[in-house]
Amino acid sequence: MAHNRTLRETDRTRHRRLREQGSLDRGQLDAVLQAGFVCHLGVTLDGAVMVVPTVYGSDGDTLYFHGSVASRSLLASPQAPVCVTVTHVDGLVLARSVFEHGVNYRSAMIYGVPRPVTDPEHKLAGLRCLTEQAAPGQWDYARRPSRKELAATSLLALSLDEASVKLRSGPPDDGDSPDAELGIWAGVLPLHTVWGAPEPDPALAPGTAVPKHIGLREGM
């Protein structure tokens, strides 16, 4: 589906602080979401705010995520909004003064009222999206959910219609300040996340090979 390439601004998504790091580019939202598979879900449950880490998948229009806590919240307040965040840390920005220290990052916030996915076919499609985002190729390799397992799984769908994106990259901002005369090293300490070598389950039968789609991820 073709998207409007500009994110719409709402009162919740309008950038108020560090506005220069904000982006209205819909492509930036897609890139942030595709680069990860763990989000943090903010909900109100029994009058208390909770932020829960969970896995997600995005198909470009909808964010699917496991949501037992959010499901409980929706039972009590069916129209209760949630906030989902995804953040990638790319490096520490070490400046000449502590005040100017920072982080290079990519982040997204999505607001809205999630809807429980109850239709079996829709739920399978959502779980496939979630599984393939974390481990491409795994859905067709592993056994798929049984009817009983499907019924026991809470899956929520959240539209990407109301979202905010912020990013920072590059060196410290104090290279042309008086602090530049201090002779203090400044720069960026990059952070890279890579997959390690697959570790087999000790219960595997001897000779069980690592599937190609998993082996290819080593070092990525």
Side-chain angles (χ1 to χ4, degrees):
M1 176 181 293
H3 298 112
N4 185 332
R5 303 314 296 172
T6 301
L7 295 170
R8 69 184 183 95
E9 279 192 312
T10 70
D11 188 58
R12 292 189 291 196
T13 64
R14 186 171 294 112
H15 300 116
R16 294 177 172 83
R17 182 177 177 276
L18 299 175
R19 297 185 64 178
E20 70 279 5
Q21 295 181 13
S23 173
L24 295 177
D25 183 349
R26 174 56 191 262
Q28 295 280 13
L29 172 64
D30 294 337
V32 169
L33 294 181
Q34 288 302 316
F37 58 91
V38 174
C39 65
H40 285 82
L41 167 67
V43 298
T44 301
L45 184 63
D46 299 329
V49 176
M50 295 183 65
V51 178
V52 183
T54 186
V55 293
Y56 73 88
S58 172
D59 67 3
D61 296 299
T62 303
L63 197 75
Y64 294 98
F65 54 90
H66 281 302
S68 57
V69 171
S71 294
R72 288 169 57 198
S73 176
L74 288 174
L75 288 175
S77 304
Q79 294 303 310
V82 302
C83 178
V84 175
T85 65
V86 175
T87 302
H88 309 295
V89 176
D90 296 320
L92 289 177
V93 181
L94 304 175
R96 295 154 183 85
S97 70
V98 173
F99 181 78
E100 294 289 347
H101 279 45
V103 175
N104 282 342
Y105 70 97
R106 294 159 288 147
S107 69
M109 301 179 72
I110 302 99
Y111 298 92
V113 177
R115 59 189 188 279
V117 179
T118 56
D119 175 75
E121 291 302 316
H122 188 186
K123 186 178 282 190
L124 278 173
L127 290 174
R128 183 185 189 282
C129 177
L130 189 152
T131 302
E132 288 295 291
Q133 177 132 357
Q138 190 68 6
W139 183 260
D140 289 330
Y141 178 77
R143 179 182 66 81
R144 298 180 187 177
S146 67
R147 187 174 302 177
K148 182 178 180 180
E149 291 168 337
L150 202 60
T153 302
S154 296
L155 185 70
L156 296 174
L158 180 65
S159 170
L160 298 177
D161 185 55
E162 188 177 6
S164 172
V165 178
K166 293 186 82 172
L167 315 98
R168 191 206 187 278
S169 61
D173 294 329
D174 61 351
D176 57 356
S177 75
D179 287 337
E181 304 300 323
L182 294 176
I184 295 173
W185 186 90
V188 175
L189 184 62
L191 176 64
H192 302 288
T193 301
V194 297
W195 296 104
E199 300 178 357
D201 182 349
L204 279 177
T208 303
V210 176
K212 185 176 181 180
H213 69 280
I214 296 297
L216 288 174
R217 306 197 73 179
E218 182 180 350
M220 292 178 60

